Amino acid sequence: MTCSSSMRRRLMAAGLLGVVARPFSALASDTWPARPVRVIVPFPPGGPVDSTARIFTQKLAETWKQPVVIDNRAGAGGTIGAAVAAKEAPDGYTLFLGSIHHAVNPSLMRNLPYDIEKDFAPVSFAAMFPVFVVAHPSVPANNIKELIAYARQGGRTLAYGSSGNGGGTHLAGELFNMEAGTKLQHIPYKGSSPAMNDLLGGQVQLMFSDAPTALQHIKSGRIKVLGVASRKRSDMLPDVPTVGESGLPGYEAYSWAALFAPARTPRPVLDRINADFNATMNDAGVRQRLLQAGAEADPGSQEQMRQRLRGEIDKWRKVIQVAGITAG
């Protein structure tokens, strides 16, 4: 009799647990989102990462039938926004749009207030921002092979401008030096626009430039483009060969944006966000708007993002160590 009562109590407990578990699973997979979703963007309005967010959030709001609100938390190379996002509730109602900075910062900055791999769950890569190798018209090189030969000639210093120390356009130049055996001199600026202004004026001879900064000047003929640094040609300028095609096989550098959620966000919610996000980024209208903003849609699975993020961290750590780059 006692044994039977004990067994009955165990079965009742198991049943109660099942009742509790089923509504939670249903909530995670079926009723999310039940309120507005916030996307933290760790950069100011108007930049490529922010512009990308404004394009896809509009479409996601239509899909989810809930407002998707952008929260710009700029500062400290993207670390302020990342630190805020890492502490948010893991319920799917706060997402974070990180960038190449968040693969670089672990090797460049000490005592970060977050861990990009441990404090976040990957959702999907979002977009790739092609980097174009561009030159002032006075540089007597019309492709990467000619640029390498010209830069290696003794007694000559070629300078390239970047958007700032430790940024993606700086690291692209240092990776080029490592793989091409050149000694291009880095000149950091406070943003891409002032660097481009000095390239136009001839104060620097080269830039490894993001597409939004370079495209109008390439098309106007004020600067010349020697190659695109991504693995394949860009739809923005399909006639421009890759750096690999035009003289430096294997070279690849680009900026990117990727969507994260706080760690411990329920897997059903992550799966739902990934599926809807991929559908959004594969929408023809969204892809066209991104191209016009200088970005190429680049979605994928959560595991693909996890592996790519780890690869980016390892790749840029090596460049930072070899080039002796420090923050500041």
Side-chain angles (χ1 to χ4, degrees):
M1 189 75 176
T2 303
C3 180
S4 176
S5 299
S6 175
M7 181 66 72
R8 189 180 297 111
R9 284 196 297 272
R10 291 177 185 175
L11 291 172
M12 288 178 62
L16 287 173
L17 286 174
V19 170
V20 171
R22 281 193 295 273
F24 177 78
S25 177
L27 175 66
S29 60
D30 299 332
T31 66
W32 183 96
R35 62 177 191 270
V37 176
R38 178 173 58 140
V39 178
I40 294 178
V41 175
F43 302 104
V49 176
D50 176 77
S51 297
T52 297
R54 292 180 189 279
I55 292 169
F56 73 68
T57 53
Q58 181 179 352
K59 186 70 174 178
L60 281 176
E62 297 174 8
T63 300
W64 290 338
K65 296 179 173 55
Q66 292 285 351
V68 183
V69 182
I70 292 174
D71 183 2
N72 294 98
R73 297 293 187 98
T79 62
I80 290 176
V84 171
K87 296 176 182 178
E88 292 296 318
D91 55 12
Y93 289 99
T94 298
L95 303 175
F96 173 67
L97 192 63
S99 77
I100 187 173
H101 291 73
H102 298 96
V104 171
N105 286 343
S107 301
L108 201 61
M109 301 180 180
R110 295 182 179 179
N111 302 318
L112 285 174
Y114 65 90
D115 186 308
I116 195 62
E117 294 185 280
K118 295 180 180 179
D119 293 335
F120 291 93
V123 175
S124 172
F125 260 79
M128 188 264 284
F129 309 108
V131 169
F132 291 95
V133 185
V134 292
H136 187 266
S138 64
V139 176
N142 295 306
N143 56 53
I144 296 300
K145 185 176 181 179
E146 292 177 359
L147 173 64
I148 293 171
Y150 182 69
R152 285 176 176 174
Q153 292 179 14
R156 177 176 290 113
T157 299
L158 288 177
Y160 73 96
S162 82
S163 60
N165 194 62
T169 55
H170 174 199
L171 295 174
E174 294 302 332
L175 179 64
F176 188 90
N177 277 336
M178 287 171 54
E179 297 192 359
T182 54
K183 295 182 179 180
L184 305 179
Q185 180 184 2
H186 174 233
I187 308 295
Y189 290 82
K190 293 182 178 180
S192 295
S193 293
M196 179 56 70
N197 287 338
D198 270 11
L199 178 64
L200 294 170
Q203 283 79 25
V204 293
Q205 291 76 49
L206 301 165
M207 273 187 71
F208 295 79
S209 177
D210 59 85
T213 302
L215 279 176
Q216 61 175 318
H217 304 299
I218 293 171
K219 292 177 179 179
S220 71
R222 297 186 67 189
I223 56 176
K224 53 185 176 181
V225 57
L226 308 183
V228 61
S230 42
R231 184 175 301 170
K232 61 183 182 68
R233 295 192 183 197
S234 171
D235 291 338
M236 298 173 203
L237 294 172
D239 293 334
V240 175
T242 66
V243 171
E245 287 179 285
S246 56
L248 191 58
Y251 177 87
E252 184 179 10
Y254 55 88
S255 294
W256 48 264
L259 193 64
F260 297 81
R264 296 176 298 282
T265 298
R267 185 59 186 259
V269 173
L270 290 175
D271 290 344
R272 169 76 185 278
I273 297 171
N274 174 270
D276 292 345
F277 182 75
N278 274 262
T280 292
M281 298 303 280
N282 285 316
D283 177 84
V286 169
R287 295 177 78 91
Q288 184 58 37
R289 289 182 63 196
L290 286 169
L291 276 178
Q292 293 170 351
E296 297 179 353
D298 193 24
S301 72
Q302 297 165 59
E303 185 56 33
Q304 286 172 333
M305 177 177 162
R306 189 188 311 277
Q307 293 176 6
R308 284 181 64 180
L309 177 64
R310 168 45 48 191
E312 287 282 289
I313 291 171
D314 292 343
K315 174 179 180 176
W316 297 119
R317 176 179 291 122
K318 180 179 178 182
V319 174
I320 288 167
Q321 291 173 345
V322 171
I325 299 171
T326 57

Coordinates of all heavy atoms in Angstrom, one line a residue, residues 4 13 37 44 73 80 106 128 168 178 215 227 254 259 266:
S4 N 2.5 1.6 -3.3 CA 1.6 2.1 -4.4 C 1.4 3.6 -4.3 O 1.4 4.3 -5.3 CB 0.3 1.3 -4.2 OG -0.6 1.8 -5.2
A13 N 3.8 13.6 -10.0 CA 4.9 14.6 -10.2 C 5.4 14.7 -11.6 O 5.6 15.8 -12.2 CB 6.0 14.3 -9.2
V37 N 10.2 43.4 -30.6 CA 11.6 42.8 -30.5 C 12.6 44.0 -30.7 O 12.3 44.9 -31.6 CB 11.8 41.8 -31.6 CG1 13.3 41.3 -31.6 CG2 10.8 40.6 -31.4
P44 N 26.7 54.1 -34.4 CA 25.8 55.2 -34.6 C 24.9 55.0 -35.8 O 25.2 54.2 -36.7 CB 26.7 56.4 -34.9 CG 28.0 56.0 -34.5 CD 28.1 54.5 -34.6
R73 N 23.5 51.7 -29.6 CA 24.3 51.9 -28.4 C 25.7 52.0 -28.8 O 26.5 51.0 -28.7 CB 24.1 50.7 -27.4 CG 22.7 50.6 -26.9 CD 22.3 51.7 -25.9 NE 21.0 51.5 -25.3 CZ 20.8 51.0 -24.1 NH1 21.8 50.7 -23.4 NH2 19.6 50.8 -23.6
I80 N 30.4 48.8 -26.1 CA 29.3 49.3 -25.2 C 28.0 48.6 -25.5 O 27.3 48.0 -24.6 CB 29.2 50.8 -25.3 CG1 30.4 51.5 -24.7 CG2 27.9 51.3 -24.6 CD1 30.4 53.0 -24.8
P106 N 38.6 40.9 -29.2 CA 39.2 40.0 -28.2 C 40.7 39.9 -28.2 O 41.4 39.7 -27.2 CB 38.6 38.6 -28.5 CG 37.3 38.9 -29.2 CD 37.5 40.2 -29.9
M128 N 27.7 40.9 -45.9 CA 29.1 41.1 -46.1 C 29.3 42.4 -46.8 O 28.5 42.8 -47.7 CB 29.6 39.9 -47.0 CG 31.1 39.9 -47.1 SD 31.6 40.8 -48.7 CE 31.3 39.5 -49.9
G168 N 38.6 47.2 -39.6 CA 38.6 46.2 -40.7 C 39.5 46.7 -41.9 O 40.2 45.9 -42.5
M178 N 51.3 41.1 -45.2 CA 51.8 39.8 -44.8 C 51.9 38.9 -46.0 O 52.8 38.1 -46.2 CB 50.9 39.2 -43.7 CG 51.0 39.9 -42.3 SD 49.8 39.3 -41.2 CE 49.9 37.5 -41.3
L215 N 32.4 53.5 -53.7 CA 31.7 53.3 -55.0 C 31.5 54.6 -55.8 O 31.8 54.6 -57.0 CB 30.3 52.6 -54.7 CG 30.4 51.1 -54.5 CD1 29.0 50.6 -54.1 CD2 30.9 50.4 -55.7
G227 N 41.1 45.9 -57.4 CA 40.5 44.6 -57.1 C 39.5 44.6 -55.9 O 39.5 45.6 -55.2
Y254 N 37.1 41.2 -45.7 CA 35.9 41.9 -45.9 C 35.3 42.3 -44.5 O 35.7 41.7 -43.5 CB 34.8 41.1 -46.7 CG 34.6 39.7 -46.1 CD1 33.6 39.5 -45.1 CD2 35.3 38.6 -46.5 CE1 33.4 38.3 -44.6 CE2 35.1 37.4 -46.0 CZ 34.1 37.2 -45.0 OH 33.9 36.0 -44.4
L259 N 24.0 38.4 -36.8 CA 22.9 38.5 -35.7 C 23.1 37.5 -34.6 O 23.3 36.3 -34.9 CB 21.6 38.3 -36.4 CG 20.3 38.7 -35.6 CD1 20.3 40.2 -35.3 CD2 19.1 38.3 -36.3
P266 N 16.2 30.1 -25.6 CA 15.7 28.8 -26.0 C 15.9 28.4 -27.4 O 15.7 29.3 -28.3 CB 14.2 28.9 -25.6 CG 14.1 30.0 -24.6 CD 15.2 31.0 -25.0

